[in-house]
Amino acid sequence: MRKFYIVMCPLLLCMAFGLQSVAQNITISGDSIATFTINKTMFREMKQAVVMAKAHDDKVHRYTGVTVANLLAKAGILLGDTAKHKSIISYIVVTAADNYKAIYSLPEIDPLFANRTILLADKEDKKLLASENGPYQMIVPAEKEHARWVRQVVSIEVVTLKQ
Ligand SMILES: Nc1nc2c(c(=O)[nH]1)N[C@H]1C(S)=C(S)[C@@H](COP(=O)(O)O)O[C@H]1N2
Ligand SMILES: [Mo]
């Protein structure tokens, strides 16, 4: 029986962490790009940005993660001057593990237009996000409502209006 536990405990732990790492991926899709999956390692290796923003608790927190602009660029979405005519007819749909969704227009994301940084955070005040919010949460500074601070983000879809 002891042998059983010695074998089963590490196995179950590995399975639990394995399952967790699946949920730590973010899928980015869109008509003009091949579906792209970012895992935890890739996310950590991307340029880290910091945003100070007032959360739903009415307190200012320090969020760390990757800007949504950089995530989209990494997935092959064109931003900036060359893409601005396409940007103004595009938006992203961010979906959470509970299927909660919010949209953001590309000009809100693209630094060419935007005067604030929208972040996909994995840390709050230098600590990993709490499991009910993370592993990834949308941080949308200076919004009066927090409905677009999507928790437990699993995918981002880019939609461009048909002309
Ligand atoms: N995944 C997910 N994210 C979500 C929601 C949700 O239902 N599911 N509710 C939103 C709304 S309406 C608000 S006001 C805030 C609430 O954030 P809080 O739980 O940190 O107060 O989360 C937002 N993000
Ligand atoms: Mo809300």
Side-chain angles (χ1 to χ4, degrees), residues 10-160:
L11 197 69
L12 288 172
L13 275 174
C14 283
M15 281 170 73
F17 282 111
L19 288 175
Q20 207 186 0
S21 71
V22 172
Q24 297 201 334
N25 289 348
I26 310 145
T27 302
I28 305 179
S29 64
D31 290 339
S32 63
I33 53 160
T35 300
F36 186 76
T37 303
I38 294 182
N39 63 32
K40 193 174 68 179
T41 310
M42 290 157 82
F43 187 90
R44 298 264 161 80
E45 282 169 354
M46 288 181 73
K47 186 171 188 274
Q48 301 295 296
V50 174
V51 162
M52 304 295 293
K54 197 184 262 190
H56 203 219
D57 63 4
D58 231 25
K59 293 190 184 108
V60 175
H61 294 275
R62 178 188 198 275
Y63 294 96
T64 315
V66 178
T67 67
V68 176
N70 279 346
L71 283 175
L72 295 181
K74 178 107 179 165
I77 301 292
L78 280 177
L79 298 172
D81 211 29
T82 44
K84 68 181 171 195
H85 298 298
K86 197 172 174 189
S87 297
I88 61 165
I89 52 167
S90 301
Y91 60 91
I92 60 169
V93 184
V94 173
T95 303
D98 60 355
N99 210 33
Y100 184 83
K101 291 175 195 282
I103 67 166
Y104 315 76
S105 73
L106 231 58
E108 285 184 282
I109 305 291
D110 186 340
L112 176 70
F113 294 90
N115 54 18
R116 64 173 172 181
T117 302
I118 297 183
L119 189 73
L120 190 67
D122 67 343
K123 294 194 187 90
E124 184 187 61
D125 302 326
K126 301 187 180 172
K127 291 193 280 282
L128 287 178
L129 288 171
S131 59
E132 64 269 28
N133 299 333
Y136 306 105
Q137 181 179 17
M138 291 291 288
I139 306 302
V140 196
E143 293 227 295
K144 291 197 281 184
E145 283 286 341
H146 287 79
R148 296 201 298 173
W149 286 48
V150 179
R151 298 184 247 109
Q152 300 186 318
V153 171
V154 293
S155 68
I156 300 175
E157 184 197 353
V158 186
V159 181
T160 302

